[in-house]
Each structure stands twice: as structure tokens, then as C-alpha cells.
Amino acid sequence: MTQMATIDSVMRTLADPTRRAVFERIVSSDEITVAELTRGSGVTQGAISQHLKSLKLAGLVAERPEGRKVFYRAEPEGLAPLVDWMSHYGVFWRERFANLRTLLKEIDP
Amino acid sequence: MTQMATIDSVMRTLADPTRRAVFERIVSSDEITVAELTRGSGVTQGAISQHLKSLKLAGLVAERPEGRKVFYRAEPEGLAPLVDWMSHYGVFWRERFANLRTLLKEIDP
DNA sequence: CAGATACTTAGGCATCTGCCTAAGTATCTG
DNA sequence: CAGATACTTAGGCAGATGCCTAAGTATCTG
């Protein structure tokens, strides 16, 4: 997805524990294959593949096929909708800064 | 809920669009009744009441009964699990600060 | 007290979702 | 080419979820 995903798709995608665990594992590794993600996940490769499809549609991960393997990596901008949402509805965060993005620029221009 | 909710409950609770809209509306107002939340929500008061129960269990809102009305307000610490999760798995945010909470203290000690 | 108002909760229902098995596609290896 | 490996996708199913109607509880008002 090069198109910006919505807060709705991001939230819904990360709401499932198994899928979120897959995402966390992808983030924690540079690149990782489906087989590796399946190992220790407690579900079948088919299930993992379905979760990866959801994560990809939500713009949270990207794939890189190489031979018969497919490597997945985290899409850095994928959580932007969540960050934006937090900056609006983050309650006690909102009270301190109008926009997290603005803050980020001040720190790391 | 005085007990700290989990990232799981927070994510799952905010995943539903209707329930998230209810939360957003509570955040945007200081205090608000169930009847007001029902108005323009597109669902019945019963449904709103059920969503409020979920939000309360997730630690996202608090209630204050007054007569036959019940006022709801946002629970500022409710999104803490989400903030913590972001600081761990926020990918390009993580690269910039180890912990959003630490950052917060630096800005607003 | 009787009725109205504000809200919660129970029961039921249709839809959604996550998982499994199994089949299908593509690549590598002997 | 035959078989193995890596992955995706289709079909089906059991459980979860969100909503509605309607009943139940509590408070206010005449």
C-alpha cells in the first residue's frame, strides 16, 4: 500500500493479538521470512500468511520476494495514522503538545 | 478500572469505529451524558451503554453518576499502554527516542 | 403514588473474524 | 522431470462481536 491507510484499518489490524505479535516480531527483526514467523507462533503458515496480507493492506509491512522465500519488513510510515490519532485524542499528551509531528521536527529537524 | 489495562484490551476496545467515535467525543468534551452521546451516534442508547462499559473496562473512561444522569469523562492515563507500545514498536519513532515517557519529562518536568 | 426520564442489562440474531485443512502456484534440487 | 520447499488462497466452521428490542433499575416530577 503506497496509499495512506486509515486509523480504522491500522487499529483493526493491530487489535488481534496474534497479528500484533507477528508485527512486533517483524519490527524487532530487520527482515524475516514467513516460515520463521510461523515458528513459535502457535498457528499454521496459512494463518500467518493471512495476517501478513492484512498487515500489508494496512500499510504496516512490506514484502520482498527472493526465490521461493518472501521476506517481510516493517513499513516505517505505517504507524503514522496511529501517531496522528494520538496527537488528536491522546488526552494528556494533547494537553502538552498540539502535534507530535511538530515536536518531532523540533528535536530531529 | 484502577488496575492498569493491557495493550490488548486498549487496542481491541478502540478498534471498533463506533466505540472509537464515542471515545473521541468524550475526549473532546469535558463531561458528557449517555443521552448526549447517543444523539447523532446512529445507534441506540443501549448500544452506547455497552460501548461505555467496554471503554470503562479498558480504563479509557470514568463515570460520575449524578441523579438519574451519568456523566462520562476521559481517563487521562487510559492510553498509556498504547503510548508504551508505540515507544517499543513505533519503528521510526523508536529510532529517535528510547521512550516517549522520558521525552515527556524532559519537556515538561 | 403514577408517570416520565436516564440509563443498564438480558436475550437473540446476523455478521465478522481467525483458524484449520487442503488445494494451488512458484522456485529450487537431485 | 520428480520431488521437496516456501508460500498463498479457497472453503468451511466455530466462536466472537455489535446491534436491536425489550425488560429492569433508579431518579425526578406532577
Side-chain angles (χ1 to χ4, degrees), chain A residues 13-14 18-38 48-56 59-64 70-76, chain B residues 85 88-91 94-95:
Chain A
T13 302
L14 292 175
T18 308
R19 191 161 48 233
R20 192 170 59 251
V22 168
F23 176 71
E24 290 171 358
R25 213 156 143 206
I26 294 174
V27 169
S28 299
S29 62
D30 187 40
E31 273 193 335
I32 188 168
T33 65
V34 180
E36 281 186 86
L37 284 169
T38 303
I48 294 294
S49 202
Q50 286 166 1
H51 284 310
L52 289 168
K53 189 176 183 179
S54 300
L55 288 166
K56 191 169 57 175
L60 291 166
V61 303
E63 54 178 350
R64 181 179 63 83
V70 178
F71 288 88
Y72 281 87
R73 64 179 180 280
E75 197 64 61
Chain B
W85 185 87
H88 282 289
Y89 300 106
V91 195
R94 185 190 49 159
E95 293 166 7

Side-chain angles (χ1 to χ4, degrees), chain B residues 2 4-6 8 12 34 53-55 59 62 67 78 81 87 92 104 109:
Chain B
T2 111
M4 172 68 96
T6 63
D8 194 80
R12 192 155 22 78
V34 180
K53 189 176 184 179
S54 299
L55 288 166
S87 73
F92 84 113
L104 186 67

Side-chain angles (χ1 to χ4, degrees), chain B residues 20-82:
Chain B
R20 192 170 59 251
V22 168
F23 176 71
E24 290 171 358
R25 214 155 143 207
I26 294 174
V27 169
S28 299
S29 62
D30 186 40
E31 274 193 334
I32 187 168
T33 65
V34 180
E36 282 187 86
L37 284 169
T38 303
R39 240 189 308 280
S41 70
V43 296
T44 63
Q45 192 176 67
I48 294 294
S49 202
Q50 286 167 1
H51 284 309
L52 288 169
K53 189 176 184 179
S54 299
L55 288 166
K56 191 170 57 175
L57 282 172
L60 291 166
V61 303
E63 54 179 349
R64 181 178 64 83
E66 185 183 302
R68 56 187 165 181
K69 294 184 178 182
V70 179
F71 289 87
Y72 281 87
R73 64 179 180 280
E75 196 65 60
E77 290 291 342
L79 288 173
L82 198 50

